Amino acid sequence: MNEHDTRDDTVTGVDPGRLDDQQLMKELETIHRTRHDTLLYGSNDALRAHNDRMARLEGEWLRRNPRRPVAAGRTREGARERGGGQTAAPGG
Protein backbone atom coordinates (compact mmCIF):
# COMPACT_ATOMS: atom_id res chain seq x y z
CA MET A 1 0.00 0.00 0.00
CA ASN A 2 1.31 3.46 -0.91
CA GLU A 3 1.18 5.95 1.98
CA HIS A 4 1.85 8.95 -0.25
CA ASP A 5 -0.59 10.82 -2.43
CA THR A 6 0.58 11.60 -5.92
CA ARG A 7 -0.55 14.47 -8.06
CA ASP A 8 0.91 14.91 -11.52
CA ASP A 9 3.53 12.27 -10.66
CA THR A 10 4.95 14.26 -7.72
CA VAL A 11 4.95 13.03 -4.15
CA THR A 12 2.89 15.26 -1.90
CA GLY A 13 3.41 13.43 1.39
CA VAL A 14 1.29 11.24 3.60
CA ASP A 15 -2.39 12.13 3.60
CA PRO A 16 -2.80 14.37 6.68
CA GLY A 17 -5.89 12.41 7.72
CA ARG A 18 -3.70 9.34 8.22
CA LEU A 19 -1.28 11.07 10.60
CA ASP A 20 -1.77 10.83 14.35
CA ASP A 21 -1.88 14.11 16.29
CA GLN A 22 1.83 14.07 17.13
CA GLN A 23 2.86 13.34 13.54
CA LEU A 24 0.54 16.05 12.25
CA MET A 25 2.04 18.63 14.61
CA LYS A 26 5.57 17.61 13.59
CA GLU A 27 4.67 18.00 9.91
CA LEU A 28 3.15 21.42 10.61
CA GLU A 29 6.23 22.57 12.53
CA THR A 30 8.48 21.44 9.68
CA ILE A 31 6.46 23.08 6.92
CA HIS A 32 6.19 26.35 8.81
CA ARG A 33 9.94 26.32 9.49
CA THR A 34 10.73 25.86 5.77
CA ARG A 35 8.14 28.36 4.50
CA HIS A 36 10.37 31.41 4.27
CA ASP A 37 13.13 29.71 2.29
CA THR A 38 10.61 28.13 -0.06
CA LEU A 39 8.99 31.50 -0.71
CA LEU A 40 12.29 33.27 -1.31
CA TYR A 41 14.29 30.60 -3.13
CA GLY A 42 12.00 27.81 -4.30
CA SER A 43 10.87 27.30 -7.86
CA ASN A 44 7.27 28.06 -8.77
CA ASP A 45 6.55 24.33 -8.67
CA ALA A 46 8.16 24.00 -5.23
CA LEU A 47 6.15 26.93 -3.90
CA ARG A 48 2.94 25.52 -5.37
CA ALA A 49 3.60 22.14 -3.76
CA HIS A 50 4.48 23.80 -0.45
CA ASN A 51 1.26 25.86 -0.53
CA ASP A 52 -0.82 22.78 -1.24
CA ARG A 53 0.82 20.68 1.46
CA MET A 54 0.60 23.44 4.04
CA ALA A 55 -3.09 24.04 3.29
CA ARG A 56 -3.84 20.33 3.59
CA LEU A 57 -1.97 19.98 6.89
CA GLU A 58 -3.49 23.13 8.38
CA GLY A 59 -6.95 22.12 7.19
CA GLU A 60 -6.61 18.75 8.91
CA TRP A 61 -5.42 20.40 12.14
CA LEU A 62 -8.37 22.80 12.07
CA ARG A 63 -10.77 19.92 11.38
CA ARG A 64 -9.46 18.11 14.46
CA ASN A 65 -9.45 21.25 16.63
CA PRO A 66 -12.60 23.22 15.79
CA ARG A 67 -12.77 24.74 19.27
CA ARG A 68 -9.13 25.74 19.53
CA PRO A 69 -8.37 28.58 21.94
CA VAL A 70 -8.07 31.96 20.26
CA ALA A 71 -5.92 34.62 21.92
CA ALA A 72 -7.78 37.92 22.28
CA GLY A 73 -4.83 39.80 20.79
CA ARG A 74 -5.09 37.73 17.59
CA THR A 75 -8.58 39.01 16.72
CA ARG A 76 -9.51 42.20 14.86
CA GLU A 77 -10.83 43.70 18.07
CA GLY A 78 -7.63 42.83 19.91
CA ALA A 79 -5.52 44.34 17.14
CA ARG A 80 -7.53 47.57 17.30
CA GLU A 81 -6.98 47.70 21.07
CA ARG A 82 -3.22 47.25 20.60
CA GLY A 83 -3.18 50.08 18.10
CA GLY A 84 -5.14 52.40 20.34
CA GLY A 85 -8.20 52.14 18.09
CA GLN A 86 -6.46 54.02 15.26
CA THR A 87 -6.08 52.74 11.77
CA ALA A 88 -3.22 53.76 9.52
CA ALA A 89 -4.13 55.95 6.59
CA PRO A 90 -2.89 54.81 3.17
CA GLY A 91 0.53 56.22 2.43
CA GLY A 92 1.17 57.37 5.95
Side-chain angles (χ1 to χ4, degrees):
M1 170 168 41
N2 186 357
E3 334 185 301
H4 294 88
D5 290 337
T6 56
R7 294 195 184 139
D8 302 325
D9 296 328
T10 59
V11 176
T12 58
V14 176
D15 178 354
R18 296 183 57 180
L19 299 171
D20 65 31
D21 289 347
Q22 185 176 0
Q23 292 168 323
L24 179 60
M25 187 55 67
K26 184 175 179 181
E27 288 283 320
L28 283 165
E29 289 168 353
T30 298
I31 204 158
H32 286 133
R33 188 174 53 253
T34 61
R35 179 67 181 166
H36 191 75
D37 282 345
T38 304
L39 176 63
L40 294 178
Y41 308 114
S43 67
N44 289 339
D45 287 341
L47 185 57
R48 192 174 303 111
H50 201 274
N51 288 343
D52 179 62
R53 181 69 176 163
M54 188 165 57
R56 293 174 63 228
L57 290 166
E58 289 176 347
E60 179 62 21
W61 191 88
L62 290 169
R63 185 189 69 74
R64 293 181 192 188
N65 298 280
R67 299 189 199 289
R68 72 193 190 285
V70 176
R74 300 298 296 180
T75 64
R76 287 184 182 182
E77 183 177 332
R80 283 192 291 270
E81 289 175 10
R82 276 195 319 271
Q86 300 174 356
T87 57

